[in-house]
Amino acid sequence: MKLIFRFLFLVLFSFSSIAQKIEYNAIGISDSLKENANAVIRLNQIDIVIASQRSMKTIQKRVITVFNGKGLNAIDAIEYYDKSTTVKNIEATVYDAQGKELKKIKRRDFSDESVISGGTIFSDSRYIYLDYTPIQYPFTLVYESEVETSATAFLPKWYPIDNYNTSVERSILNVTYPNNLGFKKKEFQLSGFDIKKTTDTNTQISYVATNILAQKNEDYSPSFNEIYPYVMMGLESFHLEGVDGNATTWQAFGKWYADKILLGTTILPDATKTKIKELVGDEKDPVKKAKIVYDYVQKKSRYVNIAIGIGGWKPMLANDVDRLGYGDCKALTNYTKALLEVVDVPSYNTILYGDSSKTDIDSDFVSMQGNHMMLSIPNGDKYIWLECTSQVDPFGYQGTFTDDRNVLIIKPEGGEIVRTKIYEDKGNTQIAKGVYTIDEKGDFSGSIAIASEGARYGSKARVETLLPNEKEAYYKEYWSNIDNLKLVKINLSNDKENIRFTEGIQVSAINYGRITNDKMIFPINPFNRYNGSVNRIRNRKTPFQLQRGYLFANEIEINLPAGFAIEFLPSTFELKGKFGEYKTEIIKTDNNKLIYKRKMLLNNGKYSNKEYDEYRLFIEQINKNDNAKIILTKN
């Protein structure tokens, strides 16, 4: 009998071991999930238990098979904590390709750091993360964590698939909650994927996603959130920063934020108040007063990068920013607001998603949203927007990090959704005027002035901050079409009053014109060729987006060498269509002088995947014409 029992035990033990190996066996993953995948999420189970308005627990188990170094980001083993959030458990186990255990990683083996190095004011906001260096590929990592918090204002979004080139075998979300807190959800793009809502009651919701294939990041795709599935969640009655809150309407939410989170954070030392009043002097215009204050903040403070929601939602006290001279976006925004209060200029903390890819605060879903804060100043029926984290931006300039999106303005009477500045395509300008000369040896010398405004200002003004060798490298890359380029002189002018950046550049290059058998040939447009490329994508799946349009216009005077006659001159070329307009023309003013004119308008817009090849052809035609050549014959 003992022998039979022992045999059965060994069989069961062996079966259990085999099952364990199969679960973490990388070889057994289906070929369809491996295709285009740097990693496969074997399981991502998130269990959120909301016990009350002031208590939430999140338990996660994540099993990831990583095929190569690019797949390491899929591990995502990181947890944030502070005085209201505790990491109760965090651990990981690593398995080899056959499912054999290689290593156990306990909490002590994780890195534990402040969200800002050297910033004592933020010392209670920290994060724990796993920095694992594999000894072989593929490997499978099992990550488990448990986090408890009293902050219930910010429920995480559920992403069944959360990155490109990562496939998903199984993703599970379970949320339980009391029925009196006003739990709400909003689903996005769930159709088209194997995602099932398995439970939906007044106290629980569950989703299961299976076999989501790895998605390729196709050029010009809209943001990930616009094309792939996720679920937003929130509570109407929540707790944050030690106080209960309400999110039934944006007006109610904004008033709570103003009264409970921001109140008392704008107190300043008397000495600072006196200094600001002296700087402003007798100025009465609120906009001019705000300019003086903004300039003061830019010169006095520096920015430390902490996203809103990490390091708390309550800004650092204004007197601490005044003393330390640094802060995150919340702190510097609130500090600027405090200084403006001293000189009777109203302003409002404004919450938004800051990113070059435009992302809106969802106006139909009242909840904690956003990752950034800036300041808005009422100006008639419009607003002046101040990016308080920048030490170089002109007053009121909005770059591509915050333009054209819905934001939440926090006013004393409540919250309000407003759209930030929209740059029209024709307002994003880059206007160039120049001259160049080709001598009888084909050598080139010339100068050009390029004035950039609108969104183009932000992309060009950064050149001013580069070191001399970096500027040289930038312009040699910018004009990589000119062989043997030599930068003779660089003169940059940053007109912050009119928000215009002008580049004055003198250049030269030997052998720009190629001479063969008494003929000289050279591209007629050296200065403002389209440098972008549109790759061919067969069977494109996603729509594509041109987030911002622009207008480029050139007028270049060309001095031809003596002793040469024009044999071939490119003809006028024009394109018009849904994507924009393009036109070039060459005007002969005398035997040795030409005027080259070029205009390109690109329209912003969203287009279907079927229109991508049409756009690629549009750009190819521009590229081809930008490279049009003139042929001269020696007399």
Side-chain angles (χ1 to χ4, degrees), residues 257 262 308 329-330 333-334 337 347-353 361 369-377 383-386 398 402 405-411 416-418 420:
Y257 198 91
L262 299 178
I308 191 169
C329 62
K330 303 183 301 293
T333 295
N334 206 56
K337 174 182 172 62
S347 62
Y348 309 122
N349 302 68
T350 302
I351 299 170
L352 68 152
Y353 286 105
I361 294 285
Q369 298 180 49
N371 64 359
H372 187 55
M373 184 179 283
M374 63 179 179
L375 198 64
S376 53
I377 299 174
Y383 292 94
I384 296 170
W385 308 99
L386 295 186
Q398 270 203 289
T402 60
R405 66 203 71 194
N406 285 341
V407 302
L408 175 64
I409 294 180
I410 306 297
K411 297 182 177 181
E416 181 184 351
I417 300 291
V418 175
T420 58

Side-chain angles (χ1 to χ4, degrees), residues 436 438 481 512-513 521-526 529 626-630:
Y436 71 85
I438 301 290
N481 55 290
Y512 182 75
I521 183 170
F522 59 89
I524 201 162
N525 175 23
R529 291 167 60 177
D626 272 355
N627 196 38
K629 296 176 176 63
I630 182 174

